[in-house]
Amino acid sequence: MTVALPQLALAGPLDQAGPITVWAVVLVFVFFECAFIIGMFLPGDSLLLAAGVVLAHGAHETSAWTLGFVAAAVAVAGNQVGYLVGRYAGTRMLARREGRILNRANLERAAAFFDRWGFWAIVVARWLPWVRTLAPMIAGAARMDNRRYIVANAVGALLWVPTLIMLGYYGAGLLDTLPWLKEAATILAIGFFVVGSGYGLYRYLQDVRKPVDEAAPHPEDKPDDLRDAA
């Protein structure tokens, strides 16, 4: 006798959401995470993994691969916006007195990381949650050559976005023999992303209310010859 396993309550809504909803959420969040300060507080890695898991729920393999490369292009565009923000507005808004994430220590760590590794700092920063938002602004403020920056930006995005989406997709696919567990993993991934985004938004609002740390050092304060060397 075959015993039917109970279907999870959210299975229906997941099927109805489809790849279009996943695409919209991923593209919007990836752009904001890469372009603006609020991106430091968004769970980008979790989002990409969750997108792969949700698309695996409906066996949308082609959509997952296509999303990976389109989202990588959006990540490149977002980081280019971050670069321009840093180049023309500087990084003073990134250091807040008593900020949990927006503070002098984090800015100094990211700046030191960039100073040490230059081109490769932009590539590797994709895998470091809050550094990937700071690095483009620091590169812009330090006057890194824009052509070198675009290449590093593109390489980092292509190594980051498709990898995590397809890791989520094929990882969830390993659970095809256990449909109930696959659905549970999908719901858990979505829940983790929603909770993480909510908490990140709360932390962002708390930090931006703090006054700017006027005494913090900034990449744009360096002599022009040192900044141009980047």
Side-chain angles (χ1 to χ4, degrees):
M1 181 177 66
T2 302
V3 178
L5 293 172
Q7 295 294 309
L8 295 177
L10 293 182
L14 286 176
D15 290 331
Q16 294 171 11
I20 295 178
T21 302
V22 176
W23 273 63
V25 172
V26 169
L27 296 183
V28 170
F29 271 74
V30 165
F31 181 79
F32 273 84
E33 179 173 14
C34 295
F36 304 113
I37 299 174
I38 191 174
M40 294 177 63
F41 301 82
L42 299 178
D45 294 336
S46 301
L47 167 64
L48 297 176
L49 287 169
V53 171
V54 173
L55 290 174
H57 186 271
H60 300 290
E61 184 174 16
T62 300
S63 182
W65 276 106
T66 306
L67 174 60
F69 290 107
V70 173
V74 170
V76 171
N79 267 13
Q80 189 63 29
V81 170
Y83 174 90
L84 294 174
V85 169
R87 191 174 185 93
Y88 294 106
T91 59
R92 297 189 183 281
M93 75 289 289
L94 301 178
R96 308 276 177 156
R97 291 203 300 271
E98 300 181 2
R100 289 283 297 277
I101 296 179
L102 293 175
N103 56 51
R104 181 193 298 198
N106 283 343
L107 178 60
E108 288 177 345
R109 289 191 194 102
F113 182 68
F114 173 77
D115 288 342
R116 181 174 182 181
W117 298 104
F119 178 94
W120 292 108
I122 303 301
V123 176
V124 176
R126 290 289 188 181
W127 297 91
L128 306 175
W130 53 268
V131 178
R132 65 171 157 259
T133 302
L134 287 180
M137 297 182 186
I138 291 172
R143 298 296 193 271
M144 179 179 183
D145 179 74
N146 193 40
R147 287 173 295 183
R148 292 182 65 231
Y149 174 77
I150 291 174
V151 173
N153 181 11
V155 171
L158 286 171
L159 291 176
W160 176 54
V161 180
T163 298
L164 289 180
I165 289 178
M166 300 318 298
L167 183 62
Y169 184 91
Y170 290 117
L174 297 176
L175 302 176
D176 283 338
T177 56
L178 299 170
W180 65 272
L181 186 56
K182 186 175 181 179
E183 290 179 359
T186 304
I187 294 167
L188 182 63
I190 294 173
F192 186 83
F193 166 70
V194 171
V195 173
S197 297
Y199 179 73
L201 180 59
Y202 167 77
R203 287 281 6 131
Y204 168 75
L205 293 174
Q206 293 295 309
D207 271 23
V208 295
R209 290 172 182 167
K210 306 290 185 181
V212 172
D213 187 348
E214 299 291 351
H218 298 277
E220 60 267 30
D221 295 332
K222 293 182 179 179
D224 289 341
D225 56 340
L226 293 180
R227 289 191 283 127
D228 292 338

